[in-house]
């Protein structure tokens, strides 16, 4: 026992030292790539576009009546826009405040107070956010679609057709007529509807498919759904698109929700928005980290989901995606822009249709969409997730079931128990020997049966 304990301590020490060295180098590399992309964007797109790590903070919106920003809670919150198309949106400070050894060089755009003028208050905010919102108010895209670093294949730009711009891609299965009940599936981060349609859909029983109408969406910015460059991919935008693409056109009045990882945040917000319509709530690996007293919720969430560690590998990948705007753009340039090559190689090596489709879902996103969704949804909602949980506890009457893989190295098992502590009636099911992905993939038939039982027991 003493030897094992010593080995674990030694392993942790090596991981911390190696992580410090690796991420110190990556901090510098990201700053260098910042300038590389500025030059490349200027020569290719004829525009010197600001980024979150190096935008000047000397821009304010004062006296124009367009944007008013409040930082009462320590986070930037857009509280008034004159444009009727815009509603309340919250922009996470983690977009432009990510502490590092070179933060003084690469991260000089923190929000700070400005002078009050009359009844209107204005604050200095990150210029990239301001430029984005001004572009949206003007009704114009601020960047070309697709950008030079994004894929322009037929699949990736299919949403640019006029009939596809305003709704998500939705895969509908199950009962076509006289459906007894509806089910909405929400995938996780850097995934797509294929996570459900290529695993669960083929394994639902005939009786389930004759009773339930199944909806699996590609979230905004992922899969075959729109990937606009004038969106900030906030929680509200994601929810509005689900409403516009599923609930309204298909006249869904009451429904079950099944959500994975990032999708759990959207599922909770959707349940709070429609408390009387939810028949059951099934969450897989919900990313809930209660914020310690005195900590900034968004920053704490970022450190938990992206801990700046080289091991485990999935944590290293999350850290690369979350902490480094330009390194993650480079990864997308190599992988997503050339996804057809990677898909061919995956098919050649695995000869596994299901896993191939899951890889396709991983490839079909833009860096811009993933970057903003990660920060504005996963990190940005950390400060209000407690309110959602209280509302779910007090306003929802449905069953709540949580599945979590024992070996999940990205979202630890404690997250599900943390959520259960806030909603005591929630039932946690630990799936032995499974991780963040294999909680579904590889056991899809068993999970399909478990879902059917949940829906059956929730029926009146």
């Amino acid at each position: 026992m003493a030897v094992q304990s010593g080995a674990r301590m030694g392993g942790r020490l090596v991981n911390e030292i190696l992580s410090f060295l690796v991420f110190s180098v990556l901090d510098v590399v990201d700053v260098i790539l910042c300038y590389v992309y500025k030059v490349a964007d200027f020569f290719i797109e004829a525009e010197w576009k600001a980024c979150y790590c190096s935008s000047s903070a000397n821009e304010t919106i004062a006296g124009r009546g367009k944007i008013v920003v409040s930082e009462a809670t320590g986070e930037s919150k857009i509280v008034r826009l004159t444009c009727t198309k815009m509603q309340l949106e919250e922009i996470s400070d983690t977009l432009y405040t990510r502490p590092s050894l070179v933060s003084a060089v690469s991260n000089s755009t923190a929000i700070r107070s400005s002078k009050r003028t009359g009844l209107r208050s204005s604050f200095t905010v990150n210029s990239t956010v301001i430029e984005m919102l001004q572009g949206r108010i003007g009704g114009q895209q601020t960047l070309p679609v697709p950008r030079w670093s994004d894929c322009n294949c037929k699949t990736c730009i299919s949403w640019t057709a006029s009939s596809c711009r305003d709704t998500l891609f939705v895969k509908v299965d199950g009962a076509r007529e006289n459906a007894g009940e509806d089910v909405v599936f929400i995938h996780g981060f850097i995934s797509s509807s294929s996570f459900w349609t290529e695993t669960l859909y083929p394994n639902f029983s005939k009786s389930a498919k004759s009773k339930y109408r199944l909806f699996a969406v590609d979230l905004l910015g992922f899969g075959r759904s729109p990937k606009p460059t004038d969106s900030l991919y906030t929680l509200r935008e994601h929810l509005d698109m689900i409403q516009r693409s599923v609930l309204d056109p298909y006249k869904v009045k009451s429904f079950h929700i099944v959500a994975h990882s990032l999708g759990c945040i959207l599922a909770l917000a959707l349940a709070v928005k429609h408390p009387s319509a939810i028949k059951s709530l099934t969450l897989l690996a919900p990313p809930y980290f209660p914020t310690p007293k005195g900590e900034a919720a968004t920053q704490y969430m970022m450190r938990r989901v992206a801990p700046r560690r080289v091991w485990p590998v999935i944590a290293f990948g999350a850290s690369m995606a979350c902490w480094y705007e330009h390194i993650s753009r480079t990864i997308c340039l190599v992988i997503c822009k050339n996804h057809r090559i990677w898909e061919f190689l995956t098919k050649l090596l695995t000869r596994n249709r299901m896993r191939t489709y899951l890889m396709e879902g991983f490839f079909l996103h833009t860096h811009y969409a993933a970057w903003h969704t990660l920060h504005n949804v996963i990190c940005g909602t950390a400060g209000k997730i407690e309110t959602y949980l209280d509302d779910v506890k007090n306003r929802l009457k449905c069953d709540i079931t949580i599945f979590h893989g024992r070996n999940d190295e990205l979202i630890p098992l404690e997250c599900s128990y943390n959520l259960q502590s806030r909603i005591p009636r929630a039932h946690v099911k630990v799936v032995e020997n499974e991780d963040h992905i294999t909680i579904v993939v590889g056991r899809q038939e068993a999970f399909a049966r478990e879902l059917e039982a949940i829906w059956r027991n929730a029926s009146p």
Side-chain angles (χ1 to χ4, degrees), residues 62-93:
R64 300 182 184 180
K66 286 188 176 181
I67 303 174
V68 175
V69 177
S70 167
E71 57 174 10
T73 61
E75 300 177 2
S76 61
K77 179 183 292 186
I78 298 160
V79 295
R80 184 172 63 77
L81 298 175
T82 57
C83 177
T84 57
K85 289 167 41 177
M86 296 290 292
Q87 301 182 53
L88 174 68
E89 292 188 339
E90 295 187 0
I91 312 301
S92 174
D93 66 323

Side-chain angles (χ1 to χ4, degrees), residues 380-426:
T381 59
K384 56 187 178 183
I385 195 70
E386 310 285 349
T387 302
Y388 289 155
L389 295 176
D390 287 340
D391 284 345
V392 169
K393 173 184 175 182
N394 298 323
R395 299 174 61 194
L396 266 69
K397 306 302 180 184
C398 68
D399 292 333
I400 301 171
T401 308
I402 306 171
F403 290 86
H404 213 120
R406 174 78 69 182
N407 298 337
D408 194 328
E409 294 181 319
L410 180 63
I411 306 297
L413 180 57
E414 68 181 85
C415 288
S416 288
Y417 287 121
N418 290 338
L419 195 149
Q420 185 186 43
S421 70
R422 295 301 301 266
I423 309 175
R425 75 173 188 275

Side-chain angles (χ1 to χ4, degrees), residues 7 15 20 36 100 109 119-120 124 151 159 241 269 283 291 314 349 354 383 389 418:
N15 191 21
F20 175 79
V36 171
S100 69
T109 58
L119 296 177
R120 293 179 180 172
T124 301
C151 180
W159 66 272
M241 286 296 279
L283 307 177
T291 306
I314 195 168
L349 294 174
M354 182 181 68
L389 295 176
N418 290 338

Side-chain angles (χ1 to χ4, degrees), residues 329-385:
R329 184 179 178 185
T330 303
I331 294 172
C332 282
L333 174 62
V334 173
I335 295 178
C336 298
K337 186 177 177 65
N338 302 292
H339 70 87
R340 287 165 292 184
I341 296 175
W342 295 109
E343 288 168 11
F344 171 77
L345 293 176
T346 302
K347 292 176 182 178
L348 187 65
L349 294 174
T350 66
R351 299 181 182 275
N352 186 313
R353 180 175 181 273
M354 182 181 68
R355 294 180 184 272
T356 299
Y357 271 88
L358 291 174
M359 292 299 292
E360 289 176 0
F362 175 81
F363 294 140
L364 298 182
H365 68 274
T366 63
H367 167 259
Y368 186 87
W371 176 257
H372 284 84
T373 296
L374 193 160
H375 285 280
N376 286 337
V377 177
I378 296 180
C379 298
T381 59
K384 56 187 178 183
I385 195 70

Side-chain angles (χ1 to χ4, degrees), residues 45 70 75 103 114 151 197 211 220 271 298 325-326 400 443:
E45 297 177 347
S70 167
E75 300 177 2
S103 59
S114 179
C151 180
T197 61
K211 180 179 180 180
L220 182 68
T298 53
E325 182 177 0
H326 306 290
I400 301 171
R443 61 179 299 270

Side-chain angles (χ1 to χ4, degrees), residues 54-67:
S54 60
S55 306
S56 170
N58 294 324
E59 288 191 40
T60 58
I61 302 297
R64 300 182 184 180
K66 286 188 176 181
I67 303 174

Side-chain angles (χ1 to χ4, degrees), residues 43-344:
F43 280 103
I44 298 174
E45 297 177 347
E47 183 176 7
W48 189 287
K49 188 63 183 175
C51 60
Y52 288 107
C53 71
S54 60
S55 306
S56 170
N58 294 324
E59 288 191 40
T60 58
I61 302 297
R64 300 182 184 180
K66 286 188 176 181
I67 303 174
V68 175
V69 177
S70 167
E71 57 174 10
T73 61
E75 300 177 2
S76 61
K77 179 183 292 186
I78 298 160
V79 295
R80 184 172 63 77
L81 298 175
T82 57
C83 177
T84 57
K85 289 167 41 177
M86 296 290 292
Q87 301 182 53
L88 174 68
E89 292 188 339
E90 295 187 0
I91 312 301
S92 174
D93 66 323
T94 59
L95 276 169
Y96 46 84
T97 306
R98 299 182 301 282
S100 69
L101 291 178
V102 293
S103 59
V105 176
S106 64
N107 192 20
S108 61
T109 58
I111 299 178
R112 64 178 182 272
S113 299
S114 179
K115 296 180 179 180
R116 294 181 178 271
T117 55
L119 296 177
R120 293 179 180 172
S121 63
S122 66
F123 295 81
T124 301
V125 297
N126 180 273
S127 59
T128 304
V129 175
I130 292 299
E131 290 173 11
M132 179 63 62
L133 291 172
Q134 285 178 316
R136 292 189 64 179
I137 291 172
Q140 298 180 350
Q141 292 272 351
T142 58
L143 296 170
V145 179
R147 298 198 68 182
W148 70 269
S149 53
D150 298 331
C151 180
N152 62 352
C153 73
K154 184 178 180 180
T155 300
C156 289
I157 65 172
S158 60
W159 66 272
T160 57
S162 58
S163 59
C164 302
R165 285 179 175 268
D166 298 324
T167 58
L168 302 176
F169 175 84
V170 183
K171 177 66 174 180
V172 186
D173 199 1
R176 297 292 180 177
E177 297 179 359
N178 301 319
E181 299 177 28
D182 294 317
V183 185
V184 177
F185 293 87
I186 307 176
H187 65 76
F189 183 61
I190 307 186
S191 185
S192 73
S193 57
S194 296
F195 185 77
W196 311 112
T197 61
E198 298 298 325
T199 57
L200 295 179
Y201 274 27
N203 286 286
F204 285 125
S205 64
K206 290 183 178 180
S207 60
K209 287 191 173 184
S210 65
K211 180 179 180 180
Y212 301 104
R213 190 166 51 161
L214 312 173
F215 300 95
V217 301
D218 283 349
L219 292 175
L220 182 68
F222 299 90
R224 289 171 172 76
S225 284
K227 304 171 181 66
T229 56
D230 63 346
S231 171
L232 287 169
Y233 295 88
T234 61
L235 179 73
R236 181 178 295 275
E237 288 175 289
H238 281 287
L239 292 181
D240 286 348
M241 286 296 279
I242 293 174
Q243 182 81 35
R244 188 185 309 157
S245 307
V246 179
L247 305 187
D248 289 344
Y250 292 97
K251 297 179 173 57
V252 176
K253 302 302 181 184
S254 63
F255 53 101
H256 305 268
I257 301 179
V258 182
H260 176 241
S261 194
L262 157 74
C264 295
I265 299 174
L266 300 177
L268 290 169
L270 193 62
V272 170
K273 186 177 180 181
H274 302 281
S276 61
I278 309 303
K279 298 180 72 67
S280 74
L281 186 60
T282 304
L283 307 177
L284 284 69
Y288 172 52
F289 298 93
T291 306
K293 187 176 181 179
E295 291 263 15
T298 53
Q299 294 289 327
Y300 180 75
M301 172 63 89
M302 179 173 67
R303 293 196 302 272
R304 290 306 304 264
V305 300
R308 288 172 69 93
R309 290 290 181 269
V310 296
W311 187 265
V313 174
I314 195 168
F316 179 63
S319 299
M320 295 276 281
C322 193
W323 286 86
Y324 301 112
E325 182 177 0
H326 306 290
I327 291 177
S328 57
R329 184 179 178 185
T330 303
I331 294 172
C332 282
L333 174 62
V334 173
I335 295 178
C336 298
K337 186 177 177 65
N338 302 292
H339 70 87
R340 287 165 292 184
I341 296 175
W342 295 109
E343 288 168 11
F344 171 77

